[in-house]
Amino acid sequence: MAYFDAASAAPLHPVGRQALLAALDEGWADPARLYREGRRARLLLDAAREAAAEAVECRPDELVFTPSGTRAVHIGIEGALAGRRRVGSHLIVSAVEHSSVLHTAEAHGAGGGSVTEVAVDRTGAVDPAAYAQALRPDTALACLQSANHEVGTVQPVAEVAEACRAAGVPLLVDAAQSLGWGPVAGDWSLLTASAHKWGGPSGVGLLVVRKGVRFAPQGPLDERESGRAAGFENIPAVVAAAASLRAVRAEAAEEAARLRDLTERIRTRVPALVPDVEVVGDPRRRLPGIVTFSCLFVDGETVLHELDRAGFSVSSGSSCTSSTLTPSHVLRAMGVLSEGNVRVSLPPGADSEDVERFLTVLPRVVAEVREKLGAPVASGAAELVDGGGGALVVDALGRRCPIPVIELAKVIGDVPVGGTVRVLADDEAARLDIPAWCEMRGQEYVGEEPADHGSAYVVRRLS
C-alpha cells in the first residue's frame, strides 16, 4: 500500500518511535515533583522544549506543549485576543486557513467580535497588500498559515508580518504543514504547529508566544506549561515529537529536493495522461510533497475508493467526500474546480516506483469512473428544454456534481456561438464547479440567477 496522505498525518518517524519507547520507561512521573523520578521527567521535558525551540528559532520559555495543534490554535487566538481587548476585537484571517482557525474566528464573531476574511488568488495565496488594507486601529490579531494544507501553496508570511508589525498588530502563524521543512521566516508574534504533521505522535501541539506579546490565557488557570495549556504533560509523546522534529529537519534539505522532483513529475504528467484535469495551487511557491489536481466529470469519492482498491491512500477536497456535502472552503476560496479533487501528499521516504505506479493506475481509474457516470456520451439523464432566443435549459435539479457539469458539457455544442445554456441545479458544488468548467473550457460564465428550485447558472458559448 502506498501512503500518499502525509498532509493529514505523517507516519511516525523511526527516531520518534525510539524516543517514545525510551520515554515511556523514563518519563512517566510528574515533572513538577522533586523526587528522583520527577526530576528525571523534568529533564526530559526541558530537553524536548529546548530542541523544539531550536527548530522554531524561539526561546524555550516562549514555547509550550499543548494536547494538539488544534488546541494550540484555539489557545493562541483566544489568548491573544483577550490580551489585546483594550485595543479592540477585530480579527483578520485568510479565506484558506485551517478549519481550527476559521471555527475560532466564527466563535469570536458570534461572541460580538468582528472578523475580516482576506481573499486569495487562484493559486491560493494572499496578497500582502490586501492584508495591510484589512488592518484597522481596532485590530487585535491577524492570522495566516505558513502553507496551505490542501494545495501546498506557501503564503507570504514575512511580508504580511512586516505589515502587521508596522501597524502594531501581532501575527499568529499556523505552521502545521511547514515546520518540518524549516523555520517560518518573518517577524511573526505567535506560532502554532502539530507533531503528527512532521512524523511525531498525535496528541502533541506547539504554541509559541514571543516575549512582549500581550497574552491572557482563557479558562481556569493551571500551573502547567506557563498556565497556557492545562493538564498533565504527556512527556513520552512530547519527547518523541521533539526528537522526530529534529530528525526530519536534519533530513529536510535532501528530502525536499527529492520530493519536489516526484511531485513535479505528477504535476506535469497527470494533465498529459488524463484529459480535462486542472492542477491547482502555486506551481513554484509550494511545499515539497503536496500536489493537488481536479478531474472534470468524475465523482471524487469514487475515485478515492478506486485508488484505495488499487493500493493508494490519497485524500480529496471534493464536496462528495465531506459530511456537509459542500465543496472544500479552500477550493471555493480559490475559485477552482472541486469535483474529482485528489490531493497527493508524499511522506518523507516516498518511493519513486510507487509514484510511477500511481501515474499508471490513475488514467484507468478516472476513465472507468467517467464511463460509469455517462461522460461525455449523452445519457438522457437531464431534461433538455429549448428556452427560446438561442438558450437551452438543462434541468439537473436533485443531482449532485459532477452530473450538472457533465450535462452542461454535453449540450454546450448544441447552442450557437453567443447562445446561452441555463443549468438548473441545487447542489452547492455547482456554484463553484460550473464557473471553473467555463474557465477551463474557454466559455463565458454569465452568472447565477434565482430559480423556483435551486439556482440557474447561465453559461454563454464563446467557441
Side-chain angles (χ1 to χ4, degrees):
M1 190 75 179
Y3 181 75
F4 287 175
D5 193 23
S8 294
L12 185 61
H13 194 282
V15 171
R17 180 182 299 276
Q18 295 170 4
L20 177 65
L21 294 175
L24 286 171
D25 293 331
E26 298 293 330
W28 51 267
D30 187 345
R33 302 307 175 198
L34 298 179
Y35 43 71
R36 180 185 306 167
E37 293 85 357
R39 295 197 304 272
R40 186 181 300 132
R42 168 57 64 181
L43 287 173
L44 289 174
L45 180 59
D46 289 345
R49 195 184 314 279
E50 290 179 4
E54 181 182 3
V56 175
E57 296 187 352
C58 69
R59 292 171 40 157
D61 59 353
E62 294 175 329
L63 184 150
V64 299
F65 294 106
T66 65
S68 68
T70 295
R71 283 297 298 140
V73 166
H74 294 170
I75 295 168
I77 295 178
E78 292 169 354
L81 288 172
R84 285 174 50 82
R85 57 179 169 266
R86 292 185 179 180
V87 173
S89 61
H90 179 228
L91 172 66
I92 302 174
V93 299
S94 84
V96 293
E97 294 298 311
H98 188 268
S99 59
S100 60
V101 173
L102 297 182
H103 290 163
T104 310
E106 289 174 6
H108 177 63
S114 59
V115 180
T116 295
E117 192 173 277
V118 179
V120 297
D121 62 20
R122 197 170 174 83
T123 70
V126 302
D127 180 0
Y131 246 87
Q133 291 174 0
L135 293 167
R136 307 186 326 208
D138 64 336
T139 302
L141 178 68
C143 299
L144 180 64
Q145 59 189 192
S146 56
N148 187 258
H149 49 291
E150 289 194 24
V151 300
T153 297
V154 173
Q155 300 290 358
V157 172
E159 294 91 330
V160 171
E162 183 178 358
C164 290
R165 180 67 65 179
V169 174
L171 176 67
L172 182 148
V173 178
D174 171 14
Q177 288 297 335
S178 72
L179 192 60
W181 298 110
V184 177
D187 197 8
W188 47 265
S189 302
L190 303 96
L191 179 141
T192 63
S194 185
H196 73 275
K197 301 290 188 180
W198 66 66
S202 58
V204 179
L206 301 181
L207 169 63
V208 178
V209 181
R210 295 286 198 190
K211 292 296 181 181
V213 175
R214 292 186 178 276
F215 192 88
Q218 300 301 285
L221 295 179
D222 190 90
E223 67 275 9
R224 308 278 177 174
E225 293 301 296
S226 302
R228 293 174 180 169
F232 196 98
E233 298 94 342
N234 185 347
I235 294 178
V238 164
V239 169
S244 59
L245 180 56
R246 174 176 285 179
V248 298
R249 279 293 191 82
E251 305 160 352
E254 180 178 352
E255 193 62 21
R258 197 179 70 85
L259 292 187
R260 283 191 188 281
D261 287 343
L262 294 179
T263 54
E264 189 61 31
R265 190 183 308 176
I266 297 173
R267 287 183 65 88
T268 55
R269 290 181 56 186
V270 165
L273 294 169
V274 182
D276 298 316
V277 164
E278 180 180 21
V279 181
V280 300
D282 194 294
R284 291 173 296 277
R285 288 176 56 90
R286 60 185 176 86
L287 292 174
I290 297 180
V291 56
T292 306
F293 54 89
S294 298
C295 307
L296 272 173
F297 312 137
V298 299
D299 180 319
E301 185 175 12
T302 303
V303 170
L304 263 60
H305 284 321
E306 292 302 318
L307 287 173
D308 181 50
R309 291 176 59 185
F312 298 96
S313 301
V314 299
S315 62
S316 172
S318 293
S319 58
C320 52
T321 63
S322 168
S323 60
T324 61
L325 298 182
T326 58
S328 150
H329 71 277
V330 173
L331 300 178
R332 184 191 302 116
M334 294 169 61
V336 299
L337 187 69
S338 73
E339 64 184 71
N341 180 261
V342 176
R343 179 186 69 181
V344 175
S345 49
L346 304 177
D351 196 323
S352 176
E353 293 182 0
D354 286 338
V355 170
E356 285 298 322
R357 188 164 61 88
F358 174 79
L359 292 170
T360 300
V361 169
L362 180 69
R364 172 182 58 79
V365 167
V366 173
E368 290 176 354
V369 174
R370 283 173 172 166
E371 184 178 2
K372 290 177 183 177
L373 290 173
V377 180
S379 64
E383 180 184 354
L384 186 63
V385 180
D386 184 355
L392 288 177
V393 177
V394 172
D395 185 354
L397 292 170
R399 315 206 66 192
R400 287 177 53 191
C401 279
I403 299 302
V405 181
I406 289 175
E407 300 304 333
L408 167 62
K410 290 175 184 176
V411 305
I412 191 69
D414 296 338
V415 300
V417 173
T420 59
V421 177
R422 298 177 77 249
V423 182
L424 303 179
D426 50 10
D427 182 2
E428 177 68 20
R431 181 169 286 113
L432 177 62
D433 288 345
I434 290 176
W437 178 88
C438 292
E439 179 79 17
M440 293 176 67
R441 289 301 181 86
Q443 308 298 347
E444 179 186 355
Y445 177 63
V446 178
E448 179 180 349
E449 298 177 352
D452 292 339
H453 300 285
S455 297
Y457 301 95
V458 183
V459 176
R460 177 174 287 109
R461 181 184 176 188
L462 298 183
S463 61

